[in-house]
Amino acid sequence: MTMTRSALTGLFIVYCLLAAPSHARAADGKVSGNVTLNGKLLGEGKITFHMTNGQFVGSTIKDGKYLIDRVPVGSFKVTVEGEGVPAAFASAKTTSLAVEVTEGPTNLDFNIK
């Protein structure tokens, strides 16, 4: 009887893991890179990766560099804010920056003109 209960519990756990929504199991990527403005590293600012569902992940930019440890795999619009950055890059509706994030470490550099 105990063996049967253990087996059923194990099957239930496997079922729950398989039935979980795919976004709950989706892998993350680690994204880093440089942000330049007119060919020069952006001193300080903020970079944000916007998902299609309205959620976002981001990081500060310091000495032109950024690092985001956990970015879900998928397509993103990217916004950048900082001194001298044109306003069009600060809104997900108007930015021309778009990327595809894959599982694992990814280097993505952005040159804003």
Side-chain angles (χ1 to χ4, degrees):
M1 180 98 168
T2 304
M3 184 110 160
T4 303
R5 189 177 309 228
S6 295
L8 287 174
T9 301
L11 287 173
F12 177 75
I13 291 171
V14 170
Y15 171 78
C16 289
L17 290 172
L18 293 174
S22 61
H23 64 83
R25 295 186 315 238
D28 290 331
K30 182 176 186 176
V31 181
S32 62
N34 296 313
V35 179
T36 57
L37 177 62
N38 298 320
K40 296 181 182 178
L41 290 173
L42 182 64
E44 292 183 0
K46 181 171 80 170
I47 187 166
T48 307
F49 287 64
H50 299 267
M51 297 174 236
T52 57
N53 65 2
Q55 296 184 21
F56 57 89
V57 294
S59 174
T60 57
I61 300 167
K62 183 157 173 79
D63 299 325
K65 300 183 183 315
Y66 74 92
L67 169 67
I68 307 172
D69 286 324
R70 297 186 66 194
V71 180
V73 170
S75 299
F76 296 86
K77 292 246 182 165
V78 179
T79 57
V80 175
E81 298 174 55
E83 187 175 337
V85 176
F89 292 99
S91 169
K93 292 180 181 178
T94 58
T95 185
S96 60
L97 304 175
V99 296
E100 185 74 26
V101 174
T102 58
E103 187 175 348
T106 303
N107 185 60
L108 295 172
D109 293 335
F110 298 96
N111 183 23
I112 298 170
K113 296 179 181 182

